[in-house]
Amino acid sequence: MSKIKDVSDKIKNSVGTVFKGDENIVDMILAAVFAGGHVLLEDVPGTGKTVLAKSIAKSTGLDFSRIQCTPDLMPSDVTGSSVWLPAKSEFEFRAGPVMSNIVLVDELNRATPRTQSALLEAMAEGQISVDGKRHELSKPFFVIATENPVESEGTFPLPEAQKDRFMLCLSIGYPNKAEEMSIITAQRTLVHPVESVKAVVSKDEILACMEEAVNIHVDEAVMEYLLSLVEATRTNESLTAGISPRGSIALYKAAQALAAVKGRSYVTPEDIKALALPVFRKRIILKGDAIIKGLTAESIIRQIIEAVPVPDFKAHV
């Protein structure tokens, strides 16, 4: 069994004690972690976004912090700031919540563009700038942000550059009856179930998994399929902008990590197909007439996935 498969199973078993939902969502989030990416959870309130994020953080044993976004949140509330120390006659940097391994950013679209830009530097470059000085973030660094897509009052749309820094955009959706029954009955105790989650893996194990993920084999036929999907977004008549090379890289790395989470040493076309929607969803821009016709990013991506032939594939590893 690969290191990633072993670590993933431990984390999923731990998360599964409190998160009663689609296990594929957990697989994809772990793939993003091992691939060095970030995840945006976009769903209506109350579907378990925060519980899922917190349970994954607690299961990994990594340093964890939470940022609750509001319109009055300042960039320094995210990055930290320099504080004057009269006794030493000098400034001392006090780290903000972003200086952590796993950062849960709740309701990201409630932060102002100025504050969002402070987070953008951290996600894009693995560093922050405060008073002209750069501060490197510790590794691994993983942002899992939540967003309510149906509420507009008091929110600020995410700029394209911000959305492009998320490797995956996922939606948990509503639980089925059996899952919801488990969720309800778990509330019988005074302590929230997520507080019982303990670390089941170490930071060193997570870093080892990240090193292993980049060595997962990608066959030439699978690479051609990935590029065909990307090219189809760039030539689609309903889109102003298709997938950029950064999006191609995100799909490639996410597929490598997902294959390892599934226990394989190679990527299959099914891995690419499963990840195309969450990777592409926030990276394409629809034309005005496509929006008028009632088309959505999701519907267009699904059309593209159905139109591009899946190659016959046999692993040669």
Side-chain angles (χ1 to χ4, degrees):
M1 182 182 291
S2 71
K3 183 69 175 177
I4 292 181
K5 173 65 172 172
D6 182 46
V7 169
S8 298
D9 286 347
K10 289 179 180 178
I11 296 173
K12 286 193 291 183
N13 289 337
S14 176
V15 170
T17 62
V18 293
F19 176 71
K20 310 299 180 182
D22 187 355
E23 191 176 288
N24 288 324
I25 296 292
V26 182
D27 284 344
M28 290 186 180
I29 292 176
L30 292 178
V33 173
F34 300 141
H38 309 287
V39 170
L40 177 64
L41 293 177
E42 188 178 65
D43 227 323
V44 296
T47 52
K49 299 186 296 295
T50 303
V51 169
L52 175 57
K54 289 181 70 174
S55 60
I56 288 177
K58 290 171 73 72
S59 297
T60 57
L62 298 172
D63 292 335
F64 171 70
S65 64
R66 176 176 176 173
I67 301 171
Q68 182 63 56
C69 293
T70 57
D72 60 352
L73 188 75
M74 299 296 292
S76 59
D77 296 325
V78 173
T79 61
S81 59
S82 298
V83 179
W84 176 254
L85 301 178
K88 296 182 179 181
S89 297
E90 63 181 24
F91 284 97
E92 180 180 270
F93 175 66
R94 300 286 175 85
V98 78
M99 301 288 282
S100 191
N101 294 126
I102 295 183
V103 182
L104 168 59
V105 185
D106 231 347
E107 298 186 281
L108 174 60
N109 54 336
R110 288 196 177 278
T112 62
R114 182 183 177 190
T115 302
Q116 288 180 20
S117 66
L119 188 62
L120 177 61
E121 181 187 9
M123 294 172 63
E125 302 177 37
Q127 67 175 33
I128 57 172
S129 299
V130 178
D131 297 330
K133 293 183 179 180
R134 295 188 302 173
H135 300 271
E136 296 291 327
L137 302 178
S138 58
K139 294 182 180 180
F141 175 67
F142 175 64
V143 172
I144 181 166
T146 69
E147 179 183 34
N148 176 5
V150 298
E151 191 171 3
S152 58
E153 187 175 349
T155 63
F156 302 87
L158 302 185
E160 298 304 321
Q162 180 81 62
K163 290 186 285 188
D164 199 35
R165 291 321 192 274
F166 286 102
M167 178 172 278
L168 304 176
C169 176
L170 300 170
S171 177
I172 297 173
Y174 291 115
N176 59 38
K177 283 187 177 181
E179 292 167 346
E180 191 152 5
M181 183 177 292
S182 298
I183 294 170
I184 294 170
T185 54
Q187 308 303 313
R188 291 174 178 171
T189 61
L190 293 176
V191 180
H192 196 286
V194 77
E195 299 304 323
S196 64
V197 176
K198 305 296 182 184
V200 293
V201 297
S202 66
K203 180 178 180 179
D204 288 342
E205 287 179 297
I206 298 294
L207 291 172
C209 288
M210 295 177 72
E211 291 181 4
E212 181 183 321
V214 299
N215 294 316
I216 299 300
H217 177 71
V218 182
D219 191 83
E220 184 177 346
V222 177
M223 178 66 81
E224 287 288 342
Y225 177 54
L226 183 156
L227 294 174
S228 294
L229 288 171
V230 170
E231 181 63 25
T233 68
R234 297 172 182 172
T235 57
N236 190 285
E237 295 181 352
S238 298
L239 301 179
T240 299
I243 300 301
S244 68
R246 183 184 288 121
S248 303
I249 294 170
L251 181 53
Y252 180 86
K253 289 184 174 181
Q256 284 183 303
L258 183 62
V261 168
K262 299 288 189 181
R264 284 183 273 100
S265 60
Y266 56 89
V267 176
T268 67
E270 285 68 31
D271 295 323
I272 302 295
K273 190 173 182 179
L275 287 164
L277 179 58
V279 171
F280 291 175
R281 180 183 280 142
K282 287 292 186 180
R283 288 185 164 90
I284 60 174
I285 302 175
L286 276 66
K287 291 181 178 178
D289 59 346
I291 297 174
I292 293 173
K293 292 176 182 177
L295 296 176
T296 64
E298 183 169 336
S299 66
I300 292 173
I301 294 168
R302 290 191 185 280
Q303 289 174 7
I304 289 172
I305 292 172
E306 290 301 318
V308 176
V310 179
D312 292 330
F313 173 74
K314 291 183 180 180
H316 301 287
V317 183

